[in-house]
Amino acid sequence: MPDTATWPPGAVLAIALLAVAASVFVVSAIASLVVRAVARRRSSANILIRRARWPFRTVLLIGGIAIAIALAFPDEPWRPVVDHAVLIALIGAGAWLVAQVLLFLADVGERRYDVGVADNRVARKVHTQLQVVRRLVVVVVALVAMGAILLTFDGVRAVGASLLASAGIASIVAGLAAQSVLANVFAGVQLAFSEAIRVDDVVVVEGEWGRIREITLTYVVVMTWDERTVVLPCTYFTTKPFQNWTKYGSALIGSVELDVDWRVSTDAMREELDRVLDGTDLFDGRTKVLQVTEATGGLVRVRVLVSAADSAALWDLRCLVREELVEWVRDQDRDALPRQRVLLGEAGEATTDEGRADAAPRARRPDDAAPRERAGLFSGSDEGEQRASEFTAAIPVVEPGAEDPDGARR
């Protein structure tokens, strides 16, 4: 066996590094085979391979380099400096590996909840929380690694003892200096777990209608309907009111208003509304109401309420209803076109529209006729009655010890 004591240190180091590289390759290959065997039964193992492959190899390589240097140069005076540098590199690589393993757990949690399904409220909640947890994990692991690296310096440990004595003053100063940053961080965590907003929620903020694209520890990204990006601090959603159109579901009710003449036939307009809604898939069939809400200034205001499965469909449905009713008034009921009446001369000499020779006779309702039943927002249909009960139903009060109809005691 050759005597390695007479070999040049460089040759010993080179041989040691080759042995380290071979060992890292063998250990990494064995670990990869084991994980791939598990991946045949669990697809999540492939995510672990993708995330932890290089951090794991880096930790093995740095550890092997430390062993190689110790074997090649056991008593060199520069060893403490090199060992310190290797220790710092090992701490950084270990933090990288720990962060990737924790992110792998978050990936596994996300895969269990699919946001591509129709009813994805729970999935969007989980994705929102995990999105914030990911960033929090990376920040915490990085801070712990930086603290561990600083503690490897003797001077920092000595200074740390004196800093503990003035920790109260330091915390006050740091809190005042980072007040806005910390407020946004706590607000981001609050948004993630309070479910005030979730990823893909449709919101109205600052007069902008858009969708929550991203939630971080300090800011929220809103993608507007015209593909603009609005970035708001997390504290905005905890200190100011905003509209969340998908908090409990995506279905919405929208309105269309038309100012028409007093001679409009609301019954004929309802028939036209039925024809329009029956011919489109945008209408979800829940709410269909036409009512006169105002009659002032020489005009009457007709308001149409329709419902759709989501905000995008509702916008197109409102535009469709508005266009069709405008064309119907223009082509089928010209008497309903808005008019401005001017009285000239004495009242008895005024000529009314009904006095014109070409004026069509208007149908009149008998004086003793009962009002016709019309569907309203809160009456005339099962859904309207249910909606009205949500605003008018009394809260039941149960006395302690009373029994419910099933015989169970409360």
Side-chain angles (χ1 to χ4, degrees):
M1 184 175 182
D3 186 9
T4 58
T6 60
W7 290 10
V12 176
L13 179 61
I15 295 174
L17 289 178
L18 289 175
V20 166
S23 301
V24 169
F25 177 79
V26 171
V27 173
S28 178
I30 294 174
S32 179
L33 290 176
V34 172
V35 177
R36 290 183 185 278
V38 176
R40 296 175 182 174
R41 292 174 295 177
R42 295 181 177 273
S43 60
S44 59
N46 291 321
I47 304 177
L48 180 61
I49 295 176
R50 187 177 68 252
R51 281 200 171 275
R53 176 190 295 136
W54 288 108
F56 180 68
R57 292 176 179 176
T58 303
V59 170
L60 290 179
L61 183 60
I62 295 176
I65 291 175
I67 296 175
I69 293 176
L71 293 177
F73 306 100
D75 299 320
E76 295 295 333
W78 45 262
R79 276 286 307 281
V81 177
V82 175
D83 291 342
H84 190 197
V86 172
L87 178 60
I88 292 175
L90 188 60
I91 293 174
W96 184 19
L97 178 60
V98 170
Q100 291 298 327
V101 171
L102 294 177
L103 292 177
F104 156 73
L105 298 177
D107 290 338
V108 173
E110 280 189 352
R111 291 188 59 180
R112 296 179 59 185
Y113 298 90
D114 184 12
V115 296
V117 298
D119 187 10
N120 60 358
R121 186 168 62 89
V122 176
R124 289 189 290 112
K125 178 190 73 172
V126 173
H127 278 246
T128 300
Q129 293 175 350
L130 290 178
Q131 193 176 89
V132 176
V133 168
R134 285 171 179 274
R135 291 173 171 80
L136 197 59
V137 163
V138 173
V139 170
V140 171
V141 171
L143 290 177
V144 172
M146 291 176 60
I149 291 174
L150 291 176
L151 289 177
T152 61
F153 294 90
D154 295 335
V156 173
R157 287 199 298 266
V159 174
S162 61
L163 288 178
L164 290 176
S166 58
I169 298 176
S171 62
I172 294 175
V173 174
L176 292 175
Q179 183 177 5
S180 60
V181 176
L182 293 177
N184 277 302
V185 170
F186 287 121
V189 176
Q190 179 183 348
L191 290 177
F193 293 95
S194 66
E195 298 186 50
I197 55 174
R198 299 176 294 262
V199 175
D200 281 342
D201 270 348
V202 178
V203 296
V204 178
V205 291
E206 297 292 322
E208 300 285 353
W209 168 45
R211 181 172 56 88
I212 300 294
R213 182 68 175 270
E214 185 180 4
I215 301 177
T216 71
L217 287 177
T218 55
Y219 62 88
V220 176
V221 178
V222 179
M223 185 67 66
T224 63
W225 65 272
D226 54 354
E227 299 183 356
R228 288 180 292 115
T229 301
V230 179
V231 181
L232 298 168
C234 290
T235 52
Y236 177 91
F237 293 91
T238 58
T239 58
K240 294 183 179 181
F242 62 93
Q243 299 181 35
N244 187 341
W245 289 5
T246 52
K247 172 66 175 176
Y248 299 107
S250 60
L252 293 169
I253 297 176
S255 64
V256 175
E257 294 185 336
L258 297 175
D259 289 334
V260 293
D261 193 77
W262 283 64
R263 298 184 300 170
V264 65
S265 174
T266 54
D267 291 334
M269 185 174 284
R270 287 189 179 91
E271 294 177 0
E272 177 64 15
L273 176 63
D274 292 339
R275 185 194 67 81
V276 173
L277 297 181
D278 290 342
T280 178
D281 295 332
L282 299 173
F283 179 55
D284 64 359
R286 293 186 304 112
T287 302
K288 177 181 59 177
V289 177
L290 188 148
Q291 294 174 315
V292 176
T293 57
E294 289 187 20
T296 58
L299 300 173
V300 295
R301 176 162 298 175
V302 177
R303 185 176 69 172
V304 178
L305 298 179
V306 290
S307 59
D310 52 58
S311 57
L314 180 63
W315 173 262
D316 287 341
L317 179 61
R318 291 171 59 198
C319 293
L320 174 65
V321 170
R322 187 181 294 109
E323 292 173 5
E324 293 292 333
L325 291 182
V326 166
E327 292 185 1
W328 177 83
V329 170
R330 184 192 64 202
D331 300 334
Q332 304 297 327
D333 192 2
R334 298 183 63 84
D335 288 339
L337 292 174
R339 301 174 185 271
Q340 294 292 334
R341 292 174 172 81
V342 179
L343 183 63
L344 300 177
E346 298 296 332
E349 300 175 359
T351 301
T352 62
D353 290 335
E354 286 75 5
R356 292 184 298 143
D358 59 345
R362 306 290 291 184
R364 296 182 179 274
R365 184 187 303 170
D367 295 338
D368 57 348
R372 290 187 294 271
E373 290 292 335
R374 297 186 176 93
L377 183 60
F378 300 102
S379 62
S381 64
D382 294 338
E383 185 189 0
E385 299 290 345
Q386 175 64 27
R387 187 180 294 111
S389 66
E390 295 176 358
F391 289 89
T392 60
I395 300 176
V397 179
V398 180
E399 297 293 337
E403 294 185 355
D404 59 15
D406 297 330
R409 299 188 64 83
R410 299 180 183 272

